[in-house]
Structures are given as structure tokens and as C-alpha cells.
Amino acid sequence: MAYEISLITSMAISVLFALSLNLITGFCGQISLGHSAFLGIGAYTSVMLLNAGVPFLITLPIAMLLAGIIGLIVGLASLRVRHDFLAITTMGVVFLFVGLVRKQDWLGGEMGLSGFPTSGMSKPQFMLFAVFLAALVAVFCIYIKRSWMGRVFNGIAEDEDTMRVLSIDVPRYKLVAFAMGTGLAGLAGCLYAQHFNYIGPDSFGFIESITVLSMVVFGGIGSVPGVIFGAAVLSALPAWFQIIGDYKLLVYGGLLFLMMRFSPNGVAGMVTAAKARWRRPAQGGAS
């Protein structure tokens, strides 16, 4: 039972983390390859506060706020670049974060941090808490997607120049997406630190950014149900098939290539296409 509880908790954290990237990349069309840095910012902020005697639940909004503010700063620095150049810029963020952590002894340096205070919850309670937060974030993302803001995000992703012609403040909405996505990544980082009871620079490197991007692409960029499915399945795969753990980057990189080549809209796109094919013969028969 302990194994299943740990697996479900990991899946819930991965879902939350993937949904946070989907806000930036899926909703607003901004490619980010440094999202794991904000996961790390949330994790380290939470641990530092816990070590200072701050209760776990209080560390959550503080870590979210700090990650969101830093995300806002990164977004400001990235406003003048698009597409490939934006990807390269965000990739630099994760290398900068890992490099800084490695050199700071008060952050644990190369060895990382462990043995910090816990949330006070039992493992089943923490699992339910993580699932609850992931579900809450999923509902929030669905609300945003269906709102006027979601339509603006979608317009920016489809054709940024047209949105400018329509007098939409594109930089403003890009920054909003970055702040929300990175803030939620910080929340996932708090849960990550508690779940594993260890954080280190290698926990938030470039591989983690590729992993979460694979989850979003596999599930379906922009689709909330698709991203939930992609994150849940890909986070569980290494546990179900031990060999994948040794070749994680290769497997996820291969999935990225295959999905972008053969199904850019991911599993959600394949489901939508299958539904359309199913309805076509039925409509033809009815006529």
C-alpha cells in the first residue's frame, strides 16, 4: 500500500507541474525549456522557510509568490524574443539556477538538503492533499481556458501580430501567463520537497524541463484533460517499467519527436480525430 500511495502522490505532483507549464506553452504559445528552475525555486523556498520554523501550509503561498515574481522577471527579459530564441532564453534560466545552487553552501551545494521539517501529515493524508491541489489547479486551468483571458491567450498563441493589430496588450498577457505558470510550478516544488524529503541541484536540471514538456506534448498541448493524462502516464511509466528509469531522457525525447512528427496535438488530438471519424459515418447514415 505504501508503494501505491507514493506513486499516486508523485503522479499528482507531476500533473500539477505539467498543468503549470501548459498555462505558458499550451495556452499562450510560449515555449519554455527552463520550467524546472521554478519547481526548484518553490522547493528551496519551502525548505528554507521550514528550517526557519514556518508551518508548511504557510510556505505554499510564499513559495508560489516568489516563483511567480521571478517568473515575471524572466518573462520581462523574454518579451523581445520568440519561438526558438525564447526557448534558448528560458533554457538558460535552468542552467543559471542549478549553477547558483551548486555554489551556495547554505542551500546545500552539491549535496543538496535533506532531513528538514515535514508537513506533519501522514503519507495517506499528504497524498490526498496533493491530489486535491492538482484537482484544484486543473479546475482553475479549465476556468482560465474558457474565460475571456483564455481566448486572449489562444489568440496570442495562434497569431500574435493579429492580436496586436486588434489592440490587445500582448506583452501584458504574456507576463500574466508566465507569472501564473511559474507560480504554480513553485507550488509543485513545495510538494516535491515534502514528498521526497530531499532536494538538490540535480533534482531540477534540464532533464526535468524536458520531462515535463514531454508530458504536455504527449497529452496534448493546450488540453487540460490531455495534459493530466500525459503527466499521470509518463510519471508512472518509470515505476511500471524499471528499465525506463535508466533511459528516461532517451524515452521522453523520443516521445517528443514522435508526437511532434505524427500527432502534434498529442493524445487529446488523437481522441478528437477519432471522435470526428466516428461521427461522420453516423451522420452519413442518418441523412
Side-chain angles (χ1 to χ4, degrees):
M1 191 63 182
Y3 171 78
E4 286 78 7
I5 289 173
S6 178
L7 180 59
I8 293 172
T9 305
S10 295
M11 291 168 68
I13 295 170
S14 295
V15 166
L16 203 167
F17 187 35
L19 286 171
S20 72
L21 177 61
N22 196 42
L23 269 169
I24 299 171
T25 302
F27 287 10
C28 210
Q30 302 177 84
I31 303 172
S32 176
L33 294 181
H35 206 55
S36 60
F38 303 101
L39 182 76
I41 289 168
Y44 275 96
T45 301
S46 178
V47 170
M48 292 296 104
L49 291 172
L50 286 169
N51 285 336
V54 178
F56 171 69
L57 292 179
I58 303 299
T59 71
L60 300 181
I62 297 174
M64 284 180 64
L65 181 62
L66 181 59
I69 290 173
I70 296 176
L72 195 63
I73 295 170
V74 173
L76 282 169
S78 305
L79 283 179
R80 294 184 177 274
V81 293
R82 297 191 201 177
H83 308 307
D84 296 345
F85 294 103
L86 177 60
I88 293 170
T89 301
T90 54
M91 188 180 358
V93 174
V94 71
F95 289 120
L96 178 62
F97 172 76
V98 171
L100 286 173
V101 170
R102 289 187 190 281
K103 298 297 182 182
Q104 305 301 317
D105 292 337
W106 63 282
L107 292 176
E110 291 278 2
M111 300 300 294
L113 295 170
S114 61
F116 40 82
T118 65
S119 63
M121 303 179 195
S122 66
K123 290 188 180 299
Q125 288 174 332
F126 187 75
M127 176 196 73
L128 293 174
F129 182 66
V131 170
F132 169 75
L133 287 182
L136 194 63
V137 170
V139 171
F140 171 75
C141 290
I142 291 171
Y143 171 77
I144 290 293
K145 187 173 183 178
R146 293 178 177 176
S147 69
W148 59 269
M149 183 180 291
R151 290 191 284 273
V152 172
F153 284 164
N154 184 64
I156 293 172
E158 293 290 336
D159 193 335
E160 185 176 317
D161 294 326
T162 298
M163 297 301 284
R164 293 180 189 274
V165 171
L166 295 173
S167 300
I168 299 297
D169 190 348
V170 172
R172 176 188 173 189
Y173 287 101
K174 280 186 172 183
L175 292 176
V176 169
F178 247 103
M180 288 194 302
T182 54
L184 289 175
L187 174 62
C190 296
L191 300 181
Y192 180 98
Q194 279 295 308
H195 178 51
F196 293 103
N197 201 30
Y198 167 80
I199 55 173
D202 292 333
S203 304
F204 311 106
F206 182 60
I207 291 178
E208 295 307 315
S209 288
I210 293 297
T211 298
V212 71
L213 181 60
S214 300
M215 292 174 179
V216 172
V217 172
F218 177 72
I221 297 175
S223 168
V224 174
V227 169
I228 292 172
F229 174 80
V233 170
L234 292 191
S235 62
L237 274 180
W240 291 338
F241 304 99
Q242 295 295 329
I243 191 172
I244 291 179
D246 298 328
Y247 302 97
K248 186 176 178 180
L249 188 59
L250 179 62
V251 171
Y252 287 0
L255 275 175
L256 265 178
F257 172 79
L258 291 173
M259 296 305 287
M260 294 306 294
R261 174 64 179 84
F262 298 106
S263 181
N265 294 321
V267 173
M270 289 190 286
V271 171
T272 301
K275 285 181 178 178
R277 287 194 297 269
W278 180 266
R279 288 171 184 162
R280 206 173 295 130
Q283 291 173 350
S287 62

